Amino acid sequence: MTTAKISYDAVEVGTEVPMREFRVNRADLVRYAGASGDFNPIHWNEKFAKEVGLPDVIAHGAYTMAQAARVVTEWAGDPGALVEYGVRFTRPVVVPNDDKGAPIEIGAKVTAKLDDEARTVRLDITATSAGQKVLGRARAVVRLV
C-alpha cells in the first residue's frame, strides 16, 4: 500500500492546501484531446461551440478534474495516496483564443479525519475560473503516513 509523505498526525480539520493557478490554452486542449481521445468540437472549434450555445471553446471537464486531483496528490506527496475522488461539473472553463488562456484556481481544505487506523482524511476542493465555480462537490479521500 502506497502512502503519502504528509503525516496524518500533523494534519487537522481546517488544514488548507495552498491555492494554485493553472492556465489552460487552446494548444493544451489539442494535446489533451489527443491523449484522451475526446475530439468533441466544443473543445477546439469556436464556431461549433458558439452554434451549440457555448460562449466559446471550453476545456474538457476531465482536464479540469485532473488538475484538481494534481493539486491534492502533489500536496499529499504521492499520487498513490488518493483513495477516493469525485466531482460534479458545474460550469465550463471557457478558453479564449489568445496567448494567456483561461485561469483555473484550485485549492482544498481538510474537512474530516475519517479513520485514525487507516490514516485517511477528506478534502473538499475548490475550483474556479474567471471567478466562477467550475467543480462542485469536489472531494478526495487521501491516506497519509
Side-chain angles (χ1 to χ4, degrees):
M1 177 183 330
T2 305
T3 56
K5 296 176 184 173
I6 289 186
S7 167
Y8 177 82
D9 297 327
V11 173
E12 298 296 330
V13 171
T15 298
E16 293 193 18
V17 175
M19 187 70 71
R20 300 225 2 234
E21 180 179 288
F22 299 91
R23 291 199 100 44
V24 57
N25 60 43
R26 300 271 177 104
D28 294 325
L29 299 182
V30 170
R31 285 189 289 275
Y32 188 82
S36 69
D38 181 353
F39 294 100
N40 187 322
I42 63 173
H43 303 304
W44 57 269
N45 184 317
E46 188 173 323
K47 181 178 181 282
F48 182 85
K50 288 180 177 181
E51 284 175 356
V52 297
L54 295 168
D56 207 332
V57 165
I58 63 170
H60 302 75
Y63 178 90
T64 305
M65 185 178 179
Q67 295 302 338
R70 177 179 170 189
V71 169
V72 170
T73 59
E74 287 180 356
W75 169 78
D78 179 1
L82 189 61
V83 176
E84 293 177 30
Y85 181 53
V87 307
R88 287 192 182 205
F89 302 114
T90 56
R91 291 198 193 300
V93 174
V94 178
V95 181
N97 190 17
D98 63 18
D99 294 336
K100 295 183 282 184
I104 305 171
E105 299 88 16
I106 301 169
K109 183 186 288 190
V110 175
T111 54
K113 291 183 100 168
L114 300 174
D115 185 335
D116 290 342
E117 189 174 324
R119 303 180 73 77
T120 53
V121 298
R122 185 180 73 220
L123 294 125
D124 285 0
I125 301 163
T126 304
T128 61
S129 181
Q132 302 256 345
K133 186 176 177 180
V134 295
L135 296 178
R137 293 193 189 176
R139 295 188 178 133
V141 175
V142 179
R143 184 179 328 278
L144 302 176
V145 294

